[in-house]
Amino acid sequence: MRDSTPLGGTVVDMCPANCGRDLEKLAEVEKAVDGLQVIATTGFHREHVYLETQSHWVNRYSVTQIADLLIADIEEGIDRHDYSGPIVERTSYRAGCIKVGTAYGKITPFEYKCMQAAAHASIETGAPINTHTTYGTCGLEQAQELKKLGVPADQIAIGHIQRNADIYYLSQILNEGVYLEIDGTYRIKYQPDSNRIKEPRELGEMGYGDRLLLGTDSGKRSYQKAYGAVTGVDYNPAVDGPRMLAEGFERDYVEKLLMTNGQRFFTMRKS
């Protein structure tokens, strides 16, 4: 017999437009797990993810036209065909977050155009922007450019930033008033998990604890327990939380990192 105890929480699925979104499957997962809420995403990944970007529709449409597509994902419903076209068919599932991504050490013209459209959509709808940085580069530039485009600082989260485990650099980004997302759990091939724990400890001591988010970046099948991995989407509460408590973090701060900060950031806030 199925256990009626709530198992879920909130999962933010950061797969953006034209990258294989399947909202029916996502809704199926949400309905199958008691207490689970899924936040779907619109926006764009870094240019490298898209094949033949010279002919991609981002290059053919204006910033306003692209922004209108993102706004429709948020206000009307995400396209069943994931903007792979030419027909657009809206589902009943609306996006609650916008993604932008940049390359390693640079922001390409394609990526900046996507950033402009994302900023317009965020301002229009109040949806937060959660970014992709490549190996933790361009985080400061992302924050500065999005703010120049008019996005409120507290609606911007710079993602994957833990790979750049430079506390001084991370504090410079936080000085812009944005959030930082520390994710990439158990990616030992990049750096030890001790780096990920060091960052919220030291940044918290510097007074930035209210603007730190934890994530897993576990979109690949190979990262899931159901496919044999030792990690999963529960890594932050199941592993990071107990570890932080064992290493002397205050319980209130751990709860802030695991729940409160995310609840505040992933809220639609139209000024």
Side-chain angles (χ1 to χ4, degrees), residues 111-123:
E111 292 161 353
Y112 188 70
K113 191 175 186 181
C114 293
M115 189 179 292
Q116 290 176 297
H120 184 110
S122 177
I123 294 165

Side-chain angles (χ1 to χ4, degrees), residues 79 129 137 196:
D79 175 32
I129 295 179
T137 64
R196 282 192 312 102

Side-chain angles (χ1 to χ4, degrees), residues 17-18 21 23-24 41-43 57 61 65-95:
N18 202 214
R21 292 179 301 179
L23 274 297
E24 277 84 6
T41 302
T42 189
W57 50 264
Y61 297 169
Q65 288 173 316
I66 299 166
D68 285 345
L69 290 173
L70 305 185
I71 292 168
D73 265 357
I74 296 165
E75 296 186 339
E76 300 174 28
I78 294 174
D79 175 32
R80 178 169 281 108
H81 310 292
D82 193 28
Y83 289 148
S84 297
I87 295 172
V88 173
E89 185 180 359
R90 298 285 167 197
T91 66
S92 61
Y93 309 111
R94 295 180 294 172

